[in-house]
Amino acid sequence: MMPKNADELTQLGVREIRDGVASGDFTAREIAEAFNAAVEQAASLNAFIVATPEKALEAADAVDDARASGKDLGPMAGVPIGMKDLFCTKGVQTTAASHILEGFVPQYESTVSQKLWDAGAGMLGKLNLDQFAMGSSNETSYFGNVTSPWRKTGSNADFVAGGSSGGSSASVAARICPAATGTDTGGSIRQPAAFTGIVGVKPTYGRCSRCGVVAFASSLDQAGPMARSVEDCAIMLRAMAGFDPKDSTSLDLPVPDWASALDADLRGKKVGIPREYRMDGTDPEILDSWERGKEWLRDAGAEIVDVSLPHTKYALPAYYIIAPAEASSNLARYDGVRYGLRDLPEGAGLQDMYAATRSEGFGDEVKRRILIGTYVLSAGFYDAYYNQAQKVRALVARDFEQVWNECDVILAPTTPTAAFSPGAQSDNPLAMYLNDVFAVPASLAGLPAMSVPAMLNGDGLPLGLQIVGKPFDEQGVMNAGLAIEQRAGFTAKPERWW
Amino acid sequence: MSNNYRIQGATGEWEVVIGLEVHAQVTSQSKLFSSAATEFGAEPNTQVSLIDAAMPGMLPVPNRECIRQAVRTGMAIEAEINRYSRFDRKNYFYADLPQGYQISQLYHPIVGEGQILLEADEKAGIPEDKVIGIERIHIEQDAGKLMHDQHPTMSYVDLNRCGVALMEIVSKPDMRSPAEAGAYVRKLRSILRYVGSCDGNMEQGSMRADVNVSVRKPGEEFGTRTETKNVNSVRFVMAVIEGEARRQIELIEDGGTVVQETRLYDPDRNETRSMRSKEDAHDYRYFPDPDLLPLELEESFLEECRASLPELPDAKRARYTGELGLTDYNAAVLTAEVETFARFETLLAETAKRLGKSGAAVATQVANWTLSVAPGVIKSLGEEAKLEHNTASANAAILEMADSGEISGGQAKEIYEIVLKTGRDPAEIADTEGLKQQSDTGAIEAEIDKVLAANQDKVEQYRSGKDKLFGFFVGHTMKAMQGKANPQVVNELLKAKLGPSPQ
């Protein structure tokens, strides 16, 4: 193979890099250097809060040394990745894109990031996100908005990269990371993946340990991979997943080799099309992509069946009660006492310190959700809101349990629209929350789901399709994703302007 | 007659209604949701894990041992064990609470209703047996501790206690006098210590009570209650009840009303003062902790818990009076404290083994030794007693010699004294120090003969009916033997020589 230049190297995905390093086509160091340079040149995307080129090089050198001495290489060996800044990384600032954690340097490593390093991956840096993963456009970060690498055909106007994993989606789409970690609470992997034309997988709740991941809503938070191919996601997910005794909610199940078992032959499989997802006002191009998706899956041998998930319309309101409720409690620990920001006005007491620290340290969206969450848990409102939402959640989950009698996976749009302009929805939180309308039901039910690129819309912006599967059936989800990927022929990439 | 504790007010008699919430620290190596140590008295912040300090992303993982101890405690009070329970978050801000919430169990506690028997004890103000209902036991995290005396303007936080497992044992409002409340706390403490689920050390804060008190005219509805927090001795619990009941009565009789509030006890002034009223009570926003799965207990786990329970105070007491034939008093005293019965039972077993007798045959002797003789000697020695020498085998060796008549009761005490001071072997002491009774019939007979010969007149009187003189001969023989003769042998020989008693 001809030696590749840096631009060529950064076009490579996870498997290509891993295999290329293993076979000696290039060194892990060459890869790391190429991506470090790409990160540096892409500052205008604001995808990174902190770049860690030395970490990437250190990991790369370890892989090159291991290869030189004939040792076995890990499944992510030589692959430098971006780490969403919600994962605690030992010795490297971890902020959740907040002011309150600015300067916080953990003395410990999250389980998921440790597993990735153990698999041979290196860290390019800590990726920007919506503050505490709350947002759908990466406009709530204390460290500034992330800008999507995508632009409308013939326009210089910016677009959002989605959220909350907006730094992850932007950097993978822009080829400054071959892959990145994301976390998905109510769509935070799938929606930004859809907005930027990449693949994002939210596994079954509990597949990936939450230990060391800054919590947003504990019963929903789930880490997953974001990359440019289904196979790359499958490889990376395997490296991230697994039982962790440090997380009581983690699944004590074996981790399959999803990548090896990928199979786009869907003969004998049924794909459910939930009629409730055909909502009024959905972008016609989104509906068009959905139709194409059905065709592709039918072409792959699957039978397309109409199904019903009757409680779908209650899922979003229930989500926006449960997630803030948990967040209001999870974020109570940021109080200025032990770490992070402390604002202690002259002569102030404890309550003053709390008020000053939290007023200063949290952004508006985070405060909004803390207020909502505090309200719905308050005496007198608990039953009407939180308890009711939990009942809805159970009904949403039951909808899915029943539908699995009729189909193996569900196909739906990932988002109701393509990416929008910065600020377009910032003044209307409810409109912003609607971004998650298709993503949230699977989150509430804890099901594996993914977004896979389908097409570009008329403006030249990516649209994604969502696949939702049975509990623990990431394989079924990714097989369907692969079938779409093979037929969609999505090769578009953002033209470099940054 | 049931309990008749009444407080005389200006308008007549008042009855006091008491409920207790006892917080008992669970005995375990590590905390409820972290692996940090729980030892008392460590340097501040040396027993704090990342979880206890609520570092970002850190998650609680339940400690099986703490769950087990709560279940065993529930079983010991004959309570319903809930196969399904779960943890809830109690949300509030305080500097000793790093998470911003305490993990507790509001909606589904691990242990349901149970009961504790208070035995009648006239002297202690319990005229007859009374059963006190237990509402529930739940498990929760303890908080850290603020230190206000370390810096002129700042408070310091010690998180060593933070996250330590507590059982909150909630009684029904079944108690009607300070005496009952005192007896309840003592009995609960005894059960916890038997089970080994709490060390019951109230001074170190391992056990503390929230005392709920209300008053009413007998037969009327319950009055409004106040809750006095964190009372840490039996005496203080009783003092709080008395003081608080009187305060409420005076308030009502002066035309006021009792407000539902939380109060604090000041032991120095022996009074309670208001901490916060119901109006400014926190809204704790309880909700199920999403970091933790519900606790679902398997039957095998429950069986294991049940099988590991020791004999409990009520059963032990019944066995002591029944099987061992001890007096009610001795049984009550011996079973009150774990250390006492443990010492008794070890000594009983050792003594019975040495003597080849049943436990019942030596129980009274061992009980008397344990409860009165031995403590008397230890007390009289004061500092001189080296308690490490106070072994079961030494005690049993003394009891064995006493039982066989080798030594007298007085000699037993003397030997015991030397054992406690020096740790020497009791048999060796008896030999070396001449602390043995003379059972050699020859020697005794010789002395008896001398005594009888020297007191012929008395012998005549005895034989003609003055049988009280028997004691005279015994006394003189013992004196001649320098007190070392075995009195039983002396008696037997005297009887033989003097002939049968005239009557």
Side-chain angles (χ1 to χ4, degrees):
Chain A
M1 185 183 268
M2 291 286 291
K4 289 176 182 285
N5 65 30
D7 273 350
E8 289 168 327
L9 290 176
T10 55
Q11 300 304 309
L12 301 176
V14 172
R15 186 188 52 75
E16 293 162 321
I17 292 171
R18 180 193 68 186
D19 292 353
V21 167
S23 62
D25 294 345
F26 37 77
T27 63
R29 190 173 181 91
E30 286 172 309
I31 288 287
E33 282 171 346
F35 278 102
N36 280 342
V39 168
E40 205 181 323
Q41 289 154 19
S44 53
L45 298 179
N46 200 31
F48 282 82
I49 293 175
V50 171
T52 55
E54 70 294 344
K55 292 269 175 197
L57 292 176
E58 195 183 305
D61 289 345
V63 168
D64 288 336
D65 290 349
R67 184 177 178 276
S69 52
K71 288 185 192 143
D72 284 345
L73 298 182
M76 294 285 290
V79 182
I81 59 169
M83 185 60 61
K84 187 177 182 179
D85 199 24
L86 205 61
F87 293 84
C88 290
T89 42
K90 187 173 182 176
V92 178
Q93 176 187 258
T94 300
T95 66
S98 70
H99 182 35
I100 208 160
L101 280 178
E102 190 176 11
F104 170 65
V105 178
Q107 298 305 304
Y108 50 94
E109 188 76 32
S110 82
T111 300
V112 162
S113 55
Q114 186 60 53
K115 280 173 166 283
L116 286 164
W117 314 145
D118 292 347
M123 181 164 74
L124 292 165
K126 301 298 291 287
L127 292 164
N128 206 345
L129 66 149
D130 275 302
Q131 194 171 137
F132 284 102
M134 298 173 188
S136 303
S137 60
N138 219 128
E139 295 176 282
T140 70
S141 168
Y142 177 73
F143 301 95
N145 298 351
V146 170
T147 302
S148 174
W150 289 90
R151 286 178 164 175
K152 271 190 199 180
T153 318
S155 161
N156 288 332
D158 286 344
F159 280 87
V160 302
S164 68
S165 309
S168 308
S169 64
S171 61
V172 172
R175 274 70 178 165
I176 60 177
C177 296
T181 54
T183 62
D184 191 315
T185 304
S188 280
I189 287 175
R190 290 162 285 162
Q191 185 257 19
F195 276 15
T196 57
I198 66 166
V199 183
V201 177
K202 178 198 96 72
T204 310
Y205 179 78
R207 261 300 177 201
C208 295
S209 169
R210 293 184 296 111
C211 182
V213 185
V214 174
F216 163 14
S218 310
S219 73
L220 296 155
D221 294 345
Q222 188 52 212
M226 299 172 78
R228 289 189 303 273
S229 76
V230 176
E231 185 188 22
D232 283 0
C233 281
I235 291 169
M236 184 164 162
L237 178 58
R238 189 180 179 211
M240 297 168 71
F243 174 65
D244 181 3
K246 290 186 282 188
D247 173 2
S248 306
T249 62
S250 94
L251 288 169
D252 195 356
L253 290 177
V255 178
D257 185 353
W258 292 295
S260 301
L262 278 176
D263 180 1
D265 181 353
L266 301 186
R267 279 176 296 181
K269 298 291 180 191
K270 289 182 181 171
V271 176
I273 307 297
R275 66 178 67 102
E276 291 79 7
Y277 281 52
R278 188 171 289 276
M279 292 176 179
D280 287 345
T282 305
D283 184 337
E285 288 184 295
I286 296 281
L287 295 176
D288 177 40
S289 72
W290 198 2
E291 289 306 315
R292 293 197 203 185
K294 290 185 214 172
E295 282 311 310
W296 291 326
L297 294 179
R298 196 177 281 127
D299 183 61
E303 184 188 341
I304 307 298
V305 295
D306 278 328
V307 298
S308 174
L309 295 166
H311 296 92
T312 299
K313 69 174 170 179
Y314 304 112
L316 191 72
Y319 171 83
Y320 273 99
I321 289 169
I322 293 167
E326 293 182 13
S328 70
S329 177
N330 281 336
L331 271 60
R333 64 186 55 197
Y334 308 109
D335 58 6
V337 175
R338 298 167 313 286
Y339 49 78
L341 182 72
R342 172 186 289 180
D343 193 341
L344 181 62
E346 186 66 31
L350 184 62
Q351 295 299 327
D352 307 313
M353 183 178 91
Y354 287 151
T357 301
R358 290 167 66 84
S359 299
E360 177 74 19
F362 290 136
D364 287 346
E365 183 60 29
V366 173
K367 286 178 192 165
R368 178 179 293 122
R369 299 207 195 185
I370 291 174
L371 288 173
I372 293 171
T374 304
Y375 180 82
V376 300
L377 290 176
S378 296
F381 300 105
Y382 180 84
D383 282 333
Y385 291 99
Y386 183 79
N387 254 349
Q388 193 70 7
Q390 289 291 16
K391 287 178 196 161
V392 169
R393 183 177 190 171
L395 290 173
V396 168
R398 201 180 62 183
D399 281 355
F400 281 107
E401 280 162 33
Q402 287 171 349
V403 95
W404 301 134
N405 296 322
E406 299 163 45
C407 63
D408 300 289
V409 291
I410 281 166
L411 176 72
T414 308
T415 57
T417 65
F420 45 87
S421 309
Q425 298 186 356
S426 303
D427 296 336
N428 187 348
L430 291 181
M432 186 71 90
Y433 295 170
L434 273 175
N435 273 287
D436 299 326
V437 69
F438 297 137
V440 152
S443 297
L444 288 177
L447 299 172
M450 74 185 295
S451 181
V452 60
M455 57 186 264
L456 296 182
N457 70 5
D459 290 331
L461 296 174
L463 301 178
L465 281 169
Q466 180 181 208
I467 298 148
V468 180
K470 300 172 187 175
F472 324 124
D473 189 23
E474 286 81 1
Q475 191 72 61
V477 170
M478 289 192 278
N479 284 349
L482 183 68
I484 291 174
E485 180 178 73
Q486 288 176 352
R487 288 162 181 81
F490 188 92
T491 53
K493 57 182 182 181
E495 211 165 300
R496 184 161 162 185
W497 54 262
W498 53 90
Chain B
M1 188 187 74
S2 68
N3 185 290
N4 59 356
Y5 178 83
R6 294 286 185 271
I7 295 177
Q8 191 64 44
T11 61
E13 288 194 332
W14 293 84
E15 184 182 41
V16 191
V17 176
I18 304 146
L20 294 177
E21 293 165 26
V22 172
H23 298 259
Q25 182 180 328
V26 177
T27 302
S28 81
Q29 296 292 312
S30 54
K31 296 184 180 179
L32 180 52
F33 296 111
S34 85
S35 56
T38 58
E39 208 179 310
F40 178 79
E43 284 295 300
N45 295 317
T46 54
Q47 297 178 164
V48 186
S49 76
L50 295 169
I51 297 168
D52 307 323
M55 299 305 283
M58 288 294 114
L59 300 170
V61 178
N63 176 345
R64 185 187 163 93
E65 178 60 13
C66 297
I67 309 295
R68 185 174 160 271
Q69 292 289 34
V71 168
R72 293 174 73 246
T73 304
M75 289 172 167
I77 57 159
E78 296 159 50
E80 191 186 335
I81 306 300
N82 293 322
R83 299 278 295 267
Y84 174 97
S85 70
R86 65 174 307 166
F87 292 103
D88 302 301
R89 292 186 184 175
K90 177 181 181 179
N91 294 283
Y92 64 96
F93 283 93
Y94 203 54
D96 65 6
L97 189 74
Q99 294 167 142
Y101 53 84
Q102 177 196 33
I103 305 178
S104 181
Q105 294 188 304
L106 175 69
Y107 297 109
H108 299 282
I110 190 162
V111 176
E113 293 191 6
Q115 58 183 39
I116 285 180
L117 172 71
L118 306 184
E119 297 87 359
D121 184 346
E122 200 79 48
K123 269 195 281 180
I126 317 283
E128 60 186 27
D129 284 2
K130 178 163 181 177
V131 172
I132 305 298
I134 302 287
E135 183 74 38
R136 57 188 281 163
I137 300 178
H138 64 256
I139 337 174
E140 62 186 25
Q141 297 174 301
D142 204 349
K145 193 173 76 177
L146 290 194
M147 300 187 287
H148 300 292
D149 53 359
Q150 309 282 311
H151 187 279
T153 60
M154 310 275 260
S155 292
Y156 284 13
V157 190
D158 175 9
L159 296 179
N160 281 354
R161 284 189 75 99
C162 184
V164 164
L166 301 177
M167 291 180 281
E168 182 169 330
I169 302 153
V170 183
S171 84
K172 297 194 172 182
D174 284 354
M175 286 158 275
R176 294 290 179 272
S177 69
E180 285 182 7
Y184 169 82
V185 175
R186 281 193 299 269
K187 183 65 179 284
L188 176 59
R189 179 173 176 276
S190 169
I191 292 171
L192 294 173
R193 285 167 49 78
Y194 266 60
V195 170
S197 58
C198 171
D199 67 20
N201 193 326
M202 298 188 83
E203 277 162 26
Q204 293 181 358
S206 300
M207 240 182 109
R208 42 197 204 264
D210 295 346
V211 184
N212 287 281
V213 175
S214 65
V215 296
R216 63 173 175 185
K217 289 287 176 64
E220 289 183 358
E221 296 286 296
F222 285 153
T224 303
R225 68 187 163 86
T226 63
E227 180 181 23
T228 304
K229 289 272 188 196
N230 278 332
V231 184
N232 67 350
S233 82
V234 172
R235 192 160 59 85
F236 292 161
V237 166
M238 294 170 71
V240 162
I241 294 165
E242 273 199 57
E244 182 55 19
R246 286 186 191 283
R247 189 191 66 85
Q248 291 183 12
I249 291 165
E250 278 172 29
L251 189 65
I252 297 167
E253 291 187 333
D254 286 350
T257 46
V258 176
V259 286
Q260 190 176 333
E261 62 181 355
T262 305
R263 300 180 69 85
L264 273 183
Y265 178 61
D266 179 347
D268 296 331
R269 298 176 168 204
N270 188 26
E271 62 184 27
T272 64
R273 60 186 156 79
S274 183
M275 196 166 116
R276 57 173 182 263
S277 75
K278 192 187 177 187
E279 283 66 41
D280 44 55
H282 291 120
D283 178 353
Y284 290 118
R285 308 189 310 280
Y286 279 99
F287 76 109
D289 192 325
D291 284 331
L292 294 161
L293 300 174
L295 275 181
E296 293 180 67
L297 305 180
E298 309 256 332
E299 190 52 45
S300 57
F301 177 73
L302 297 184
E303 275 164 23
E304 180 203 317
C305 290
R306 206 171 283 120
S308 74
L309 282 182
E311 183 181 40
L312 294 164
D314 292 343
K316 193 177 284 295
R317 195 171 144 129
R319 182 167 65 81
Y320 280 13
T321 53
E323 212 175 286
L324 297 185
L326 299 182
T327 62
D328 284 348
Y329 176 80
N330 277 358
V333 178
L334 283 171
T335 55
E337 290 286 344
V338 173
E339 291 79 2
T340 318
F341 86 67
R343 211 165 51 239
F344 169 70
E345 290 189 0
T346 311
L347 184 55
L348 182 68
E350 180 88 22
T351 309
K353 195 177 94 188
R354 280 173 182 260
L355 292 173
K357 293 183 180 176
S358 72
V362 294
T364 299
Q365 185 195 357
V366 175
N368 288 339
W369 176 265
T370 307
L371 291 180
S372 94
V373 183
V377 172
I378 292 170
K379 198 176 169 199
S380 71
L381 281 183
E383 303 258 306
E384 282 183 88
K386 307 268 184 302
L387 293 178
E388 67 268 25
H389 301 319
N390 191 24
T391 63
S393 70
N395 280 269
I398 297 170
L399 285 170
E400 183 189 10
M401 291 190 286
D403 185 81
S404 68
E406 225 177 308
I407 59 173
S408 68
Q411 288 168 331
K413 283 191 198 175
E414 284 183 61
I415 294 168
Y416 189 49
E417 273 187 27
I418 298 168
V419 167
L420 289 175
K421 286 185 197 166
T422 66
R424 282 164 57 194
D425 178 62
E428 174 270 319
I429 295 169
D431 282 339
T432 319
E433 309 294 333
L435 287 170
K436 267 191 163 174
Q437 296 191 122
Q438 185 59 265
S439 298
D440 171 357
T441 47
I444 297 173
E445 265 187 297
E447 291 304 328
I448 288 176
D449 288 343
K450 284 186 208 162
V451 170
L452 296 187
N455 295 286
Q456 276 301 326
D457 51 337
K458 297 265 185 343
V459 172
E460 289 310 316
Q461 288 172 24
Y462 175 83
R463 287 187 174 144
S464 61
K466 207 168 177 189
D467 59 344
K468 280 180 185 153
L469 281 168
F470 191 75
F472 168 84
F473 299 118
V474 173
H476 276 259
T477 310
M478 290 301 280
K479 194 175 171 189
M481 294 291 296
Q482 292 161 325
K484 288 177 188 167
N486 181 336
Q488 215 176 327
V489 176
V490 172
N491 280 358
E492 279 162 18
L493 290 173
L494 266 172
K495 272 180 192 156
K497 294 216 179 257
L498 287 168
S501 171
Q503 279 162 348

